[in-house]
Amino acid sequence: MRDLWESWRSEHRRILAPALLRYEVTNALHRLCLAGELSLSRAAEALAVALTLPITFEAGEYLHHRALEIAARFNRAATSNAQYLAVAEWHGAE
């Protein structure tokens, strides 16, 4: 994963994500703490690093509407993953 990130950086690619990503990272680190796999201090360090990554975060009503359409089209139980697809679609990204 680190190699992929580095290749994106060296190619000057713009990294896009829905604002939801910050919440998901925070939640994932919390769950690792609850499972005893990560201390709170290490989780806080990881979160601090994650929050400094050069990611352009998208938010807006259009994103939520499009995520709802995408989730319905693919019969998904949640819209969270559809938000990533909506961001990619909006920007014509991979």
Side-chain angles (χ1 to χ4, degrees), residues 2 11 13-14 22 25 32 39-41 43 46 50 55 64-65 68 70 75-76 84:
R2 178 171 270 200
E11 295 167 6
R13 290 191 183 210
R14 189 166 145 209
R22 290 177 171 152
V25 168
L32 288 170
S39 70
L40 182 57
S41 62
I55 299 172
H64 301 293
H65 286 282
L68 182 63
I70 292 169
N75 197 31
R76 305 307 304 165
Y84 292 89

Side-chain angles (χ1 to χ4, degrees), residues 14-93:
R14 189 166 145 209
I15 311 300
L16 303 165
L20 172 66
L21 178 63
R22 290 177 171 152
Y23 300 96
E24 291 189 318
V25 168
T26 304
N27 189 57
L29 291 168
H30 173 65
R31 291 178 65 90
L32 288 170
C33 289
L34 288 177
E37 296 179 31
L38 196 62
S39 70
L40 182 57
S41 62
R42 294 288 291 159
E45 290 172 11
L47 181 59
V49 169
L51 293 174
T52 66
L53 293 173
I55 299 172
T56 301
F57 291 100
E58 285 288 327
E61 290 181 18
Y62 72 89
L63 178 65
H64 301 293
H65 286 282
R66 186 61 184 134
L68 182 63
E69 293 169 356
I70 292 169
R73 178 178 175 202
F74 293 102
N75 197 31
R76 305 307 304 165
T79 63
S80 52
N81 288 338
Q83 297 232 357
Y84 292 89
L85 293 173
V87 168
E89 180 182 272
W90 181 259
H91 289 279

